Amino acid sequence: MSEMESRRAFLEKVASTVFAGMVLGGQPVKAGAEPVKVELPPRPPDGPILPELEYEDVLVRMQRDLERALKKGTTPKWVMVIDTRKCVGCHACTVSCAVENKLPPGVVYRSVIEEQIGKYPEVSWRFLPRPCMQCDNPPCVPVCPVGATWKRADGIVEIDYDACIGCRYCLVSCPYQARTFDFGESWTQDTPGQGQMPYEELPTFEWGEVHVRKEGVVPSSPVGNARKCSFCLHRLEHGLLPQCVTTCIGRATFFGDASDPESLVFQLIHQPNAMRLKEELGTEPRVYYLV
């Protein structure tokens, strides 16, 4: 073999080895080595491919956290966490809240604020669900002239419908616009048909009492009252998560006891991307957002 042929054979061998190294993503390549066989973990007939990646719905964990909080014997510290990156603006939480609390027109506990970002054709949308913030320093409490609203030990700001006189001072004082007023309207009001439907006469179970809406010279509560989100207190007392949490299709809303280090919400509110709305006001909201 001439010197020219020997050099050509050497270059072809080097080029072949370099190309194989590029294809195999940096794996060490040895000319003539046997390919390494990758052993897959055993797979049960009806189980996942990788057992360590078995999926658990976050609702299951939050339900477990809730049951532990109700059994521990001390007052929980309820907080809500909303991941804005997961919210798709479907308004399922708004609708389910209205159904759960039998809300009339104009009364909204869980609105979803929408914001358009960019200019056509490069446009996207941002969504911000906004329940009551259940502030630790609630501006709505000291302005009530009859003491009809107060801060509970578990962090929820409560309203006594029987004491509320409907002055609406609390609506004005809330920097989050989380309170609305019940003017006594119904969904079928001034519409042709059969008049008020049975679902509009169903009672509500807010604040530990049964309230049946009745109009008249002196309407019965909650007609004529200030109303707001209660974190679905009536559900919590029966070991159920708030309705907006269970119906979130993107699993963007979390709820639990922030005084429990093992709870999911405890871990989330200590993430570096957790923030609260208008913290500069000193209201200390109990609703956190992941951004």
Side-chain angles (χ1 to χ4, degrees):
M1 180 181 297
S2 67
E3 181 180 353
M4 182 63 70
E5 291 177 342
S6 177
R7 184 171 180 272
R8 180 176 181 179
F10 172 77
L11 292 175
E12 289 177 348
K13 185 176 180 180
V14 170
S16 175
T17 304
V18 171
F19 177 76
M22 294 171 62
V23 172
L24 296 178
Q27 293 294 323
V29 177
K30 296 181 179 179
E34 294 292 332
V36 179
K37 184 179 181 181
V38 179
E39 295 289 343
L40 296 176
R43 178 185 181 186
D46 55 348
I49 297 177
L50 299 176
E52 64 273 20
L53 297 182
E54 186 173 4
Y55 175 76
E56 180 186 65
D57 194 311
V58 71
L59 288 177
V60 176
R61 177 175 179 182
M62 286 191 288
Q63 181 64 37
R64 197 163 53 236
D65 292 346
L66 176 63
E67 294 174 359
R68 187 170 60 251
L70 296 175
K71 293 178 181 178
K72 70 178 184 180
T74 58
T75 304
K77 180 182 178 182
W78 299 126
V79 299
M80 183 172 286
V81 183
I82 300 173
D83 193 337
T84 58
R85 301 165 301 179
K86 293 183 177 179
C87 179
V88 297
C90 69
H91 296 265
C93 55
T94 306
V95 174
S96 65
C97 173
V99 173
E100 174 67 25
N101 295 290
K102 318 295 187 303
L103 300 182
V107 178
V108 181
Y109 288 175
R110 168 102 175 188
S111 60
V112 178
I113 302 171
E114 300 182 0
E115 180 184 9
Q116 179 179 314
I117 304 172
K119 294 182 180 179
Y120 179 83
E122 299 177 353
V123 177
S124 62
W125 286 87
R126 182 162 54 195
F127 307 101
L128 185 73
R130 195 239 38 217
C132 173
M133 298 292 139
Q134 316 290 355
C135 305
D136 282 342
N137 185 23
C140 56
V141 170
V143 299
C144 181
V146 294
T149 184
W150 62 90
K151 181 78 174 177
R152 294 164 47 102
D154 57 8
I156 298 175
V157 178
E158 185 169 347
I159 300 176
D160 185 347
Y161 285 156
D162 295 328
C164 176
I165 59 175
C167 68
R168 286 170 268 179
Y169 286 177
C170 56
L171 273 70
V172 178
S173 66
C174 177
Y176 306 102
Q177 300 178 337
R179 292 192 176 213
T180 50
F181 187 74
D182 192 336
F183 287 95
E185 298 178 345
S186 64
W187 292 105
T188 54
Q189 184 174 339
D190 300 328
T191 59
Q194 301 177 353
Q196 194 165 14
M197 301 299 292
Y199 70 85
E200 297 181 282
E201 300 175 355
L202 295 175
T204 62
F205 303 94
E206 299 172 53
W207 313 120
E209 297 182 3
V210 179
H211 300 279
V212 180
R213 296 171 56 82
K214 290 183 180 179
E215 299 182 4
V217 178
V218 182
S220 60
S221 296
V223 176
N225 295 138
R227 303 184 64 178
K228 72 172 194 66
C229 159
S230 64
F231 273 176
C232 277
L233 179 61
H234 58 286
R235 291 174 58 89
L236 294 177
E237 292 175 340
H238 289 82
L240 299 173
L241 292 166
Q243 187 71 357
C244 59
V245 176
T246 61
T247 54
C248 179
I249 64 170
R251 299 294 186 264
T253 301
F254 310 92
F255 183 85
D257 179 14
S259 64
D260 179 7
E262 298 182 8
S263 69
L264 175 61
V265 292
F266 179 89
Q267 300 172 6
L268 293 177
I269 64 176
H270 290 90
Q271 294 294 319
N273 61 331
M275 54 83 68
R276 297 181 291 183
L277 297 180
K278 300 182 178 180
E279 289 194 81
E280 68 277 9
L281 300 179
T283 54
E284 299 294 332
R286 289 208 176 191
V287 176
Y288 293 76
Y289 292 89
L290 301 180
V291 297

Short mmCIF file of all heavy atoms in Angstrom, two decimals, residues 50-75:
data_model
loop_
_atom_site.label_atom_id
_atom_site.label_comp_id
_atom_site.label_asym_id
_atom_site.label_seq_id
_atom_site.Cartn_x
_atom_site.Cartn_y
_atom_site.Cartn_z
N LEU A 50 -42.81 4.27 34.19
CA LEU A 50 -41.86 4.52 35.26
C LEU A 50 -42.63 4.74 36.56
O LEU A 50 -43.34 5.73 36.70
CB LEU A 50 -41.01 5.76 34.95
CG LEU A 50 -40.15 5.66 33.68
CD1 LEU A 50 -39.44 6.98 33.42
CD2 LEU A 50 -39.14 4.52 33.82
N PRO A 51 -42.57 3.82 37.51
CA PRO A 51 -43.36 3.94 38.75
C PRO A 51 -43.10 5.24 39.50
O PRO A 51 -43.99 5.79 40.12
CB PRO A 51 -42.92 2.72 39.55
CG PRO A 51 -42.41 1.76 38.54
CD PRO A 51 -41.79 2.60 37.46
N GLU A 52 -41.85 5.76 39.45
CA GLU A 52 -41.55 6.97 40.20
C GLU A 52 -42.24 8.20 39.61
O GLU A 52 -42.30 9.24 40.25
CB GLU A 52 -40.04 7.20 40.27
CG GLU A 52 -39.38 7.45 38.92
CD GLU A 52 -38.97 6.16 38.25
OE1 GLU A 52 -39.52 5.12 38.63
OE2 GLU A 52 -38.11 6.21 37.35
N LEU A 53 -42.77 8.10 38.41
CA LEU A 53 -43.47 9.21 37.77
C LEU A 53 -44.98 9.06 37.87
O LEU A 53 -45.72 9.73 37.17
CB LEU A 53 -43.06 9.31 36.30
CG LEU A 53 -41.58 9.61 36.04
CD1 LEU A 53 -41.32 9.72 34.55
CD2 LEU A 53 -41.14 10.88 36.75
N GLU A 54 -45.46 8.22 38.77
CA GLU A 54 -46.89 8.02 38.91
C GLU A 54 -47.55 9.34 39.27
O GLU A 54 -47.12 10.04 40.18
CB GLU A 54 -47.18 6.96 39.96
CG GLU A 54 -48.66 6.62 40.05
CD GLU A 54 -48.89 5.44 40.99
OE1 GLU A 54 -47.89 4.99 41.60
OE2 GLU A 54 -50.02 5.00 41.09
N TYR A 55 -48.63 9.67 38.59
CA TYR A 55 -49.28 10.98 38.72
C TYR A 55 -50.36 10.96 39.79
O TYR A 55 -51.14 10.01 39.88
CB TYR A 55 -49.90 11.38 37.39
CG TYR A 55 -50.69 12.65 37.45
CD1 TYR A 55 -50.07 13.88 37.52
CD2 TYR A 55 -52.08 12.61 37.47
CE1 TYR A 55 -50.80 15.04 37.58
CE2 TYR A 55 -52.82 13.77 37.53
CZ TYR A 55 -52.18 14.98 37.58
OH TYR A 55 -52.92 16.13 37.65
N GLU A 56 -50.38 12.01 40.61
CA GLU A 56 -51.44 12.19 41.59
C GLU A 56 -52.05 13.57 41.36
O GLU A 56 -51.33 14.58 41.35
CB GLU A 56 -50.93 12.09 43.02
CG GLU A 56 -52.02 12.29 44.05
CD GLU A 56 -51.48 12.32 45.48
OE1 GLU A 56 -50.72 13.26 45.80
OE2 GLU A 56 -51.80 11.41 46.25
N ASP A 57 -53.35 13.61 41.17
CA ASP A 57 -54.02 14.90 40.98
C ASP A 57 -53.79 15.76 42.21
O ASP A 57 -53.89 15.30 43.34
CB ASP A 57 -55.51 14.66 40.77
CG ASP A 57 -56.20 15.91 40.23
OD1 ASP A 57 -55.99 17.00 40.81
OD2 ASP A 57 -56.95 15.80 39.25
N VAL A 58 -53.47 17.04 41.96
CA VAL A 58 -53.16 17.93 43.07
C VAL A 58 -54.36 18.11 43.99
O VAL A 58 -54.20 18.43 45.17
CB VAL A 58 -52.68 19.28 42.51
CG1 VAL A 58 -53.83 20.04 41.87
CG2 VAL A 58 -52.02 20.12 43.57
N LEU A 59 -55.56 17.86 43.49
CA LEU A 59 -56.74 17.95 44.34
C LEU A 59 -56.71 16.89 45.44
O LEU A 59 -57.19 17.13 46.56
CB LEU A 59 -58.01 17.79 43.50
CG LEU A 59 -58.39 18.95 42.59
CD1 LEU A 59 -59.63 18.59 41.78
CD2 LEU A 59 -58.62 20.22 43.40
N VAL A 60 -56.15 15.73 45.12
CA VAL A 60 -56.07 14.66 46.12
C VAL A 60 -55.16 15.08 47.27
O VAL A 60 -55.48 14.89 48.44
CB VAL A 60 -55.55 13.37 45.46
CG1 VAL A 60 -55.37 12.27 46.50
CG2 VAL A 60 -56.49 12.92 44.36
N ARG A 61 -54.04 15.69 46.93
CA ARG A 61 -53.13 16.14 47.99
C ARG A 61 -53.76 17.26 48.81
O ARG A 61 -53.65 17.28 50.04
CB ARG A 61 -51.82 16.63 47.38
CG ARG A 61 -50.90 17.18 48.47
CD ARG A 61 -49.53 17.57 47.98
NE ARG A 61 -48.75 18.08 49.09
CZ ARG A 61 -47.51 18.55 48.96
NH1 ARG A 61 -46.92 18.52 47.78
NH2 ARG A 61 -46.87 19.01 50.01
N MET A 62 -54.42 18.22 48.14
CA MET A 62 -55.04 19.32 48.89
C MET A 62 -56.16 18.80 49.80
O MET A 62 -56.36 19.32 50.90
CB MET A 62 -55.56 20.38 47.93
CG MET A 62 -54.46 21.22 47.31
SD MET A 62 -55.10 22.65 46.42
CE MET A 62 -55.82 21.87 44.98
N GLN A 63 -56.89 17.81 49.34
CA GLN A 63 -57.94 17.22 50.18
C GLN A 63 -57.31 16.57 51.41
O GLN A 63 -57.83 16.67 52.53
CB GLN A 63 -58.74 16.21 49.37
CG GLN A 63 -59.88 15.55 50.13
CD GLN A 63 -60.96 16.53 50.54
OE1 GLN A 63 -61.27 17.45 49.80
NE2 GLN A 63 -61.52 16.34 51.73
N ARG A 64 -56.17 15.91 51.19
CA ARG A 64 -55.45 15.28 52.31
C ARG A 64 -54.94 16.35 53.28
O ARG A 64 -55.03 16.19 54.50
CB ARG A 64 -54.30 14.46 51.74
CG ARG A 64 -53.73 13.44 52.69
CD ARG A 64 -52.91 12.40 51.95
NE ARG A 64 -51.88 12.96 51.10
CZ ARG A 64 -51.77 12.72 49.80
NH1 ARG A 64 -52.64 11.92 49.21
NH2 ARG A 64 -50.80 13.26 49.08
N ASP A 65 -54.43 17.46 52.73
CA ASP A 65 -53.97 18.57 53.57
C ASP A 65 -55.12 19.16 54.37
O ASP A 65 -54.96 19.52 55.56
CB ASP A 65 -53.33 19.66 52.71
CG ASP A 65 -52.03 19.22 52.07
OD1 ASP A 65 -51.48 18.18 52.48
OD2 ASP A 65 -51.57 19.91 51.15
N LEU A 66 -56.28 19.29 53.73
CA LEU A 66 -57.45 19.87 54.40
C LEU A 66 -57.90 18.99 55.56
O LEU A 66 -58.17 19.49 56.67
CB LEU A 66 -58.58 20.05 53.38
CG LEU A 66 -59.92 20.55 53.95
CD1 LEU A 66 -59.77 21.93 54.54
CD2 LEU A 66 -60.99 20.54 52.87
N GLU A 67 -57.98 17.71 55.33
CA GLU A 67 -58.42 16.79 56.39
C GLU A 67 -57.44 16.81 57.56
O GLU A 67 -57.85 16.75 58.73
CB GLU A 67 -58.55 15.38 55.82
CG GLU A 67 -59.67 15.27 54.78
CD GLU A 67 -59.71 13.91 54.11
OE1 GLU A 67 -58.84 13.08 54.44
OE2 GLU A 67 -60.60 13.69 53.26
N ARG A 68 -56.15 16.92 57.27
CA ARG A 68 -55.15 16.98 58.34
C ARG A 68 -55.29 18.29 59.14
O ARG A 68 -55.17 18.30 60.36
CB ARG A 68 -53.75 16.88 57.75
CG ARG A 68 -52.64 16.78 58.79
CD ARG A 68 -51.29 16.44 58.18
NE ARG A 68 -50.85 17.43 57.22
CZ ARG A 68 -50.80 17.23 55.90
NH1 ARG A 68 -51.17 16.07 55.41
NH2 ARG A 68 -50.39 18.18 55.08
N ALA A 69 -55.60 19.39 58.44
CA ALA A 69 -55.76 20.68 59.12
C ALA A 69 -56.97 20.68 60.04
O ALA A 69 -56.95 21.27 61.13
CB ALA A 69 -55.88 21.79 58.09
N LEU A 70 -58.03 20.01 59.62
CA LEU A 70 -59.25 19.98 60.43
C LEU A 70 -59.12 19.08 61.64
O LEU A 70 -59.86 19.22 62.61
CB LEU A 70 -60.44 19.54 59.56
CG LEU A 70 -60.82 20.47 58.40
CD1 LEU A 70 -61.93 19.87 57.55
CD2 LEU A 70 -61.24 21.85 58.92
N LYS A 71 -58.16 18.15 61.59
CA LYS A 71 -58.01 17.20 62.69
C LYS A 71 -56.91 17.57 63.68
O LYS A 71 -56.80 16.96 64.74
CB LYS A 71 -57.71 15.80 62.12
CG LYS A 71 -58.85 15.18 61.35
CD LYS A 71 -58.44 13.82 60.78
CE LYS A 71 -59.59 13.20 59.99
NZ LYS A 71 -59.18 11.88 59.38
N LYS A 72 -56.08 18.55 63.37
CA LYS A 72 -54.90 18.79 64.19
C LYS A 72 -55.20 19.44 65.53
O LYS A 72 -54.34 19.47 66.42
CB LYS A 72 -53.89 19.64 63.41
CG LYS A 72 -54.32 21.08 63.19
CD LYS A 72 -53.23 21.85 62.46
CE LYS A 72 -53.59 23.32 62.32
NZ LYS A 72 -52.54 24.09 61.61
N GLY A 73 -56.40 20.00 65.69
CA GLY A 73 -56.79 20.53 66.99
C GLY A 73 -56.47 21.98 67.23
O GLY A 73 -56.84 22.53 68.27
N THR A 74 -55.78 22.62 66.31
CA THR A 74 -55.50 24.05 66.41
C THR A 74 -56.12 24.78 65.24
O THR A 74 -56.46 24.17 64.22
CB THR A 74 -53.98 24.32 66.43
OG1 THR A 74 -53.40 23.78 65.23
CG2 THR A 74 -53.32 23.68 67.64
N THR A 75 -56.27 26.09 65.39
CA THR A 75 -56.91 26.88 64.33
C THR A 75 -56.02 26.95 63.10
O THR A 75 -54.87 27.38 63.19
CB THR A 75 -57.20 28.30 64.83
OG1 THR A 75 -58.01 28.22 66.01
CG2 THR A 75 -57.95 29.09 63.77
#
